[in-house]
Amino acid sequence: MSLEIRDIYKHFGPVRASDGVSITIQEGSLHGILGENGAGKSTLMKILSGFYSADSGEVILNGDVLDLSSPADAIAAGIGMLHQDPLVFLPMTVLDNFALGSPGTVRLDRTEVRKELERVSSELGFEFDPSRLARSLTIGERQQLSITRLMWLGAKVLIFDEPTTGISATQRLQLFDTLRKLAEHGLIVLFVSHKLEEVEDLCDSVTVIRQGKVVYEAEMPVPAETLVEKMFGKVFVVQGREAVPLGQPVLRLANIDLKEDTTHLENLNLEVASGEVVGLAGLEGSGQRALLRACAGLLEPASGSLELDGVSLTKASYRGHLAAGVHYLPAGRLEEGLIEGISITEHLVLASDDSTFFIDWKAARKVAETEIEDYSIKGTPSSSAEDLSGGNQQRLLLSMIPDEVKLLLLEHPTRGLDVESAAYVWTRLLARRAEGTSVIFASADLDELLRYSDRIVVFFAGEVFAVRDASGTDGEELGYLIGGKERV
Amino acid sequence: MEATFNSIIAAAAPLIIASMGETITEKSGVINLSLEGSIRLSAMTAFAVAFWVGHALVGFVAAALVGAAIAAIIAYSSIGLKLNQIAVGFVLTLLAIDLASFLGDSFVGERGPRVPPLPIPFLSDIPFFGKVFFDQDLVVYFSFLTIAATWWFFYRTRPGLNIQGIGERPAAAFARGVNVNKLRFWYTVLGGAMVGIAGAAYSLDVKLGWRETLTLNLGWIALAMVIFGGWHPLRVALGAYMFGALQVLAFQLQDVFPGVSQVLPVAPFPLMILALVFVYSDWFSKLGDRFPRMRNLLGSEAPAGLGQVFERE
Ligand SMILES: Nc1ncnc2c1ncn2[C@@H]1O[C@H](COP(=O)(O)OP(=O)(O)O)[C@@H](O)[C@H]1O
Ligand SMILES: [Mg+2]
């Protein structure tokens, strides 16, 4: 058995998501599809599984040219796909999720289906309570349920689109085991990812996709540098921080007490100099977010004082903080930072402090075009925020930061971004800092903290547990500190 | 007593049929907001056609066609043209209401054919229950059938599971090979035909004759019943019967408390709002967790894909 994808084209407006893709995969192989975010992996897989129909091209399974005009055709031909976000029905039971869409008699014999669920899941080594609601399943369990269902329907080709997003390390090991087993049983398994290490760990062969085209094919193992180069089209050096002389203290926090939800931050003292980058480390909910929000004016301190450039902002509103030169980029880019359904141009108009009543759309479009160019945003002035990839959303947010900012506050500035976008974000931030802007950012990524901070503040259980110069510490020590222990 | 219950069951029949139709439509993810207009126009059409032909059954068929046609417009404009369902439904409501008044003007006050009573032999002899449930006519029996059939269809058949899928998460149903938009179209038309039949049930059975105020905002109430019923046919039916009982009660109490006779007929409406507050309360929504076997019946969540247009790409 072999699967051949021949000359697939697919465009969305001006975007060529699949630009003449041909791949051949042999039976029993665990094949990686590698590419950065937006490379066109999901689109190609959705074409394979009948979810999208291609503009042109053929899919050939075992010598037969398939007619893939709907997912029903793909399933009938034995091609099944686990989508990036497991497509389960949350308020339905496991059993109904299993049965939905299955062929059979009009009357649904749930006893019969339950037996089938038990049979197939035990063959795969999974266990389900058929009457549980899908809502209460972990992402890993939802995937297992989908695998079970597709195997029941007779899948010969199984596609996994970024299956490791949102699952725990243990679940990932279990998933990889399952994938290997499926391949050993003679299935064709397609593993789609933008994470190099996963493909290295798992796959027998790999196809690298960039901008809708196949740019590289090989049997594994392949040196990581080669894959990175193929993915991004260039060799990629992540730039570290340059020493910048620190200026006068800009931000002064004295004896601050903060309360938010379950977080309780007490008696906090911190001074940040102009041009300084301070990283906030700690487990989620240890107080970093509360501190950022207090500095942004979104959370009023219960006591203590907050000064920016000698002016007290303790009781000032969010607008007051903005006016004083504070800018905050929250972690929820689409929830808190951008507005769904609103274009890049409109975002930039909203962000400008122009207060004329009528909007000069022509000028606004010009501004948008310049910013898109400046920040290399992949999109047009009329693209909506939600249509941009995570990296491009972050670029848009960066472009919305006013020119004169004294203090930049960022929460997980590179979470979920591909390597290139993450490096880009930091290039921009470091340029700001060279102009004298102070930067405070929270991150869960120790490398990021160590690479870009001057000082690292470690939070534990609502207090500042330790403060370290970034040059005088390492990942191991930070790991201990974050867990509330001094290095032993 | 028997007679009171008998009339509650009979009077609720159109509401039952209409809200079952709307339950089917909404379960598939489409909102047919035109119910009030559909019901009036189909009630008028049913009467007019039955009046000409001299046969009630033909009136029912005509009414079903009117309801189905309006639903087809909504389905096509939302699925095919991707217009807003609420806006189209609302405009059609107003249009159909005016059309019914205008076209039906000459029929006001006329007497037409009616659905004959049809007690079921033996069953109607059962004490109390027989009289309440089985000494009725075909329309009322049809209303029973819609409840049972809708329930059976949703929870005991494959197409019924699929309809829940397309209403809940159309993309997921599509990925499983279910033809989302085609099914949504036909379930909307089916629901609309049932709404049409409900209209005919008014003018040819419950109220007899045609006048503008005949259907007493039944369409809006049916829409509310679907929400109160949490999109579960049995709970929707319960709501419809409770509403019917309140109306009969209010009517009968008018003689007892003549001073407040103005207030009583509208009493069911605020009570309906209270009932909605109740089923959306924390306490009620936790019941489903406590009785997992009755989760479907006790849940009040709308199908998550309700009103959403599904586009493949
Ligand atoms: N439904 C869609 N409509 C418009 N553009 C899309 C759609 N799906 C994907 N794209 C665009 O196609 C390109 C490839 O996307 P995708 O296949 O999701 O990439 P990947 O899965 O590799 O991250 C991106 O530029 C994306 O914005
Ligand atoms: Mg993808």
Side-chain angles (χ1 to χ4, degrees), chain A residues 12 15 17 36-44 52 84 161 387, chain B residues 313:
Chain A
F12 297 105
V15 178
E36 65 167 324
N37 284 319
K41 307 179 296 291
S42 296
T43 304
L44 184 65
Y52 289 162
Q84 211 158 345
D161 194 359
D387 291 341
Chain B
E313 52 199 67

Side-chain angles (χ1 to χ4, degrees), chain B residues 163-249:
Chain B
I163 194 180
Q164 295 180 61
I166 62 180
E168 183 63 33
R169 199 166 174 183
F174 181 72
R176 288 165 184 223
V178 182
N179 193 337
V180 174
N181 283 335
K182 184 176 140 202
L183 288 177
R184 279 186 164 181
F185 181 88
W186 287 112
Y187 286 129
T188 306
V189 170
L190 172 67
M194 287 169 69
V195 170
I197 292 173
Y202 248 101
S203 59
L204 298 177
D205 191 30
V206 176
K207 288 289 175 67
L208 299 183
W210 166 250
R211 61 184 181 280
E212 245 180 275
T213 54
L214 181 82
T215 60
L216 291 170
N217 297 322
L218 175 91
W220 300 122
I221 296 161
L223 283 165
M225 278 312 146
V226 176
I227 300 171
F228 167 82
W231 291 265
H232 189 292
L234 299 187
R235 211 169 101 192
V236 172
L238 179 73
Y241 282 126
M242 279 180 358
F243 188 82
L246 279 172
Q247 277 189 315
V248 171
L249 197 69

Side-chain angles (χ1 to χ4, degrees), chain A residues 68-90:
Chain A
L68 296 177
S69 33
S70 79
D73 296 335
I75 293 168
I79 302 178
M81 170 162 176
L82 274 82
H83 287 250
Q84 211 158 345
D85 176 18
L87 290 176
V88 296
F89 300 92
L90 300 177

